[in-house]
Amino acid sequence: MEETKKSLLDDAFTSAMALTNSGVPQVPDRYVLPPSQRPAIGSSTSIRDDTTLPVIDLSLLHQPLLRPRAIHEINMACKDFGFFQVINHGIPSSVVKDALDAATQFFDLPVEEKMLMVSSNVHQPVRYGTSINHSTDKVHYWRDFIKHYSHPLSKWIDMWPSNPPCYKDKVGKYAEATHLLHKQLIEAISESLGLEKKYLQEQTEEGSQVMAVNCYPTCPEPEVTLGMPPHSDFGSLTILLQSSEGLQIMNSNKNWISVPYIEGALIVQLGDQVEVMSNGIYKSVIHRVTVNKDVKRLSFASLHSLPLHKKISPAPELLDGNNTAAYGEFSFNDFLDYISSNDFLQERFIDTLKKKSSS
């Protein structure tokens, strides 16, 4: 009996990194997706079209004569994709490199060290895990992660990993830099909707920042599994740093487009809160992560959200007789409660908020 319990625990807690390091020739059955959900690597169903994905030069926002051009580009990107890449974003390349170095060292730690922070409780402020939630996932995903609350930094940093010794300093600097960038982006996105640029200022300052540091180890069969399943992010926006290619976004034709890796760029993804606040003018982007036979990929997803209990609803300024509210209100806490008791892969949280048409 004890033996069975132990093997179940071992099975539940085997990280993707441990499987890669053990040299498995195939992915275990629990990682194999049904054929219709596989990434079709190298086939025509995964479209590669770099020219269609927007890249915005954020330095234009600081030049009064050129700011309107950047705001227009942001408006078009948010309408068409809910996604864009940014260059000249103001975060020094040394800060980015240091964060990636610290993450590499963390995932290279002995298993026992990382297991000190393991948890399946989505409300935990710091948790290490594998897949999405190893204790409830029906299908597992080829990903290890550590997630931690990051704003205000002074409140949470003492709970972060103490190993590697550089982690708190290097990841902390990156977390602070992304929080400042997020404030600029939220102002620009509000302005691009025709709202006051300070529309969400107070909520942004008091809101949460969750840093999800992801490791997608090399995978022996990348064509049968994924690093992350198709989903949209719950928050206002996500700022993503990736060490190599692997992210795919779904376009309006339901095709998957591979997001190119651009040296020094960061990725901005709109979340469900902006879709609701804009009353559907902007859409949160559905995305997934593929894995690779030869390249280990790291990413930092800085997930920004309004305060835990703050209810968000369509901005009254965007509503009139012709445009009524298309969504009910919700908070980050409502989302956490939803994913604790529902399979968010079966129904997206935002779809539960959409109001039925009266026609």
Side-chain angles (χ1 to χ4, degrees), residues 58-204:
L58 284 194
S59 68
L60 303 184
L61 289 176
H62 308 295
Q63 302 173 52
L65 292 176
L66 296 175
R67 184 176 173 93
R69 184 175 123 198
I71 296 294
H72 174 70
E73 288 178 4
I74 287 170
N75 174 269
M76 297 304 292
C78 291
K79 275 183 178 163
D80 294 346
F81 295 102
F83 159 99
F84 50 97
Q85 297 211 58
V86 292
I87 55 172
N88 296 322
H89 45 69
I91 300 181
S93 57
S94 59
V95 171
V96 169
K97 181 183 176 300
D98 282 354
L100 287 168
D101 284 349
T104 301
Q105 289 181 50
F106 173 79
F107 288 111
D108 283 344
L109 288 172
V111 175
E112 310 77 55
E113 181 86 30
K114 292 178 285 192
M115 289 296 283
L116 296 172
M117 284 164 289
V118 82
S119 175
S120 57
N121 177 0
V122 297
H123 293 272
Q124 273 298 101
V126 178
R127 66 186 181 103
Y128 166 72
T130 189
S131 189
I132 294 169
N133 190 331
H134 57 260
S135 62
T136 56
D137 291 342
K138 293 184 182 74
V139 174
H140 284 239
Y141 295 91
W142 202 261
R143 162 207 188 219
D144 297 338
F145 66 86
I146 181 161
K147 285 186 176 182
H148 39 66
Y149 282 56
S150 304
H151 178 76
L153 193 62
S154 57
K155 181 178 177 181
W156 303 111
I157 196 163
D158 288 344
M159 301 167 78
W160 288 14
S162 299
N163 257 337
C166 67
Y167 190 92
K168 289 177 183 174
D169 177 54
K170 290 182 173 180
V171 178
K173 285 192 171 80
Y174 179 72
E176 287 186 309
T178 47
H179 182 73
L180 287 173
L181 176 59
H182 159 252
K183 282 163 70 170
Q184 286 180 37
L185 288 165
I186 281 290
E187 283 188 2
I189 287 166
S190 297
E191 197 176 325
S192 73
L193 279 165
L195 300 168
E196 285 289 322
K197 70 178 187 180
K198 304 289 187 190
Y199 180 75
L200 291 173
Q201 185 179 27
E202 191 184 336
Q203 288 97 308
T204 302

Side-chain angles (χ1 to χ4, degrees), residues 77-346:
C78 291
K79 275 183 178 163
D80 294 346
F81 295 102
F83 159 99
F84 50 97
Q85 297 211 58
V86 292
I87 55 172
N88 296 322
H89 45 69
I91 300 181
S93 57
S94 59
V95 171
V96 169
K97 181 183 176 300
D98 282 354
L100 287 168
D101 284 349
T104 301
Q105 289 181 50
F106 173 79
F107 288 111
D108 283 344
L109 288 172
V111 175
E112 310 77 55
E113 181 86 30
K114 292 178 285 192
M115 289 296 283
L116 296 172
M117 284 164 289
V118 82
S119 175
S120 57
N121 177 0
V122 297
H123 293 272
Q124 273 298 101
V126 178
R127 66 186 181 103
Y128 166 72
T130 189
S131 189
I132 294 169
N133 190 331
H134 57 260
S135 62
T136 56
D137 291 342
K138 293 184 182 74
V139 174
H140 284 239
Y141 295 91
W142 202 261
R143 162 207 188 219
D144 297 338
F145 66 86
I146 181 161
K147 285 186 176 182
H148 39 66
Y149 282 56
S150 304
H151 178 76
L153 193 62
S154 57
K155 181 178 177 181
W156 303 111
I157 196 163
D158 288 344
M159 301 167 78
W160 288 14
S162 299
N163 257 337
C166 67
Y167 190 92
K168 289 177 183 174
D169 177 54
K170 290 182 173 180
V171 178
K173 285 192 171 80
Y174 179 72
E176 287 186 309
T178 47
H179 182 73
L180 287 173
L181 176 59
H182 159 252
K183 282 163 70 170
Q184 286 180 37
L185 288 165
I186 281 290
E187 283 188 2
I189 287 166
S190 297
E191 197 176 325
S192 73
L193 279 165
L195 300 168
E196 285 289 322
K197 70 178 187 180
K198 304 289 187 190
Y199 180 75
L200 291 173
Q201 185 179 27
E202 191 184 336
Q203 288 97 308
T204 302
E205 200 41 58
E206 293 171 7
S208 72
Q209 176 185 11
V210 177
M211 191 68 77
V213 188
N214 302 302
C215 177
Y216 303 97
T218 54
C219 176
E221 293 181 289
E223 65 283 353
V224 302
T225 190
L226 284 168
M228 279 286 275
H231 67 287
S232 62
D233 294 334
F234 61 82
S236 53
L237 56 86
T238 299
I239 298 171
L240 184 81
L241 161 65
Q242 57 173 0
S243 65
S244 57
E245 200 171 293
L247 179 70
Q248 294 186 333
I249 65 168
M250 185 183 277
N251 69 8
S252 54
N253 298 322
K254 302 256 165 87
N255 287 317
W256 288 106
I257 301 181
S258 291
V259 175
Y261 170 74
I262 300 174
E263 180 81 40
L266 293 170
I267 291 163
V268 179
Q269 299 174 166
L270 296 195
D272 294 345
Q273 290 179 344
V274 167
E275 178 168 332
V276 170
M277 187 264 284
S278 73
N279 204 35
I281 297 170
Y282 293 168
K283 298 281 191 253
S284 55
V285 64
I286 296 176
H287 53 286
R288 68 181 186 182
V289 177
T290 59
V291 288
N292 192 293
K293 211 168 195 156
D294 307 306
V295 180
K296 175 174 80 172
R297 178 174 175 267
L298 293 172
S299 75
F300 277 76
S302 187
L303 300 139
H304 299 267
S305 174
L306 300 185
L308 194 63
H309 296 286
K310 166 75 182 171
K311 295 282 187 184
I312 190 161
S313 55
E317 295 87 336
L318 300 177
L319 305 178
D320 57 31
N322 300 321
N323 294 301
T324 56
Y327 302 82
E329 61 178 18
F330 81 105
S331 69
F332 177 22
N333 203 52
D334 295 335
F335 169 80
L336 290 177
D337 289 344
Y338 178 83
I339 62 167
S340 296
S341 52
N342 293 274
D343 182 354
F344 78 94
L345 300 179
Q346 298 301 315

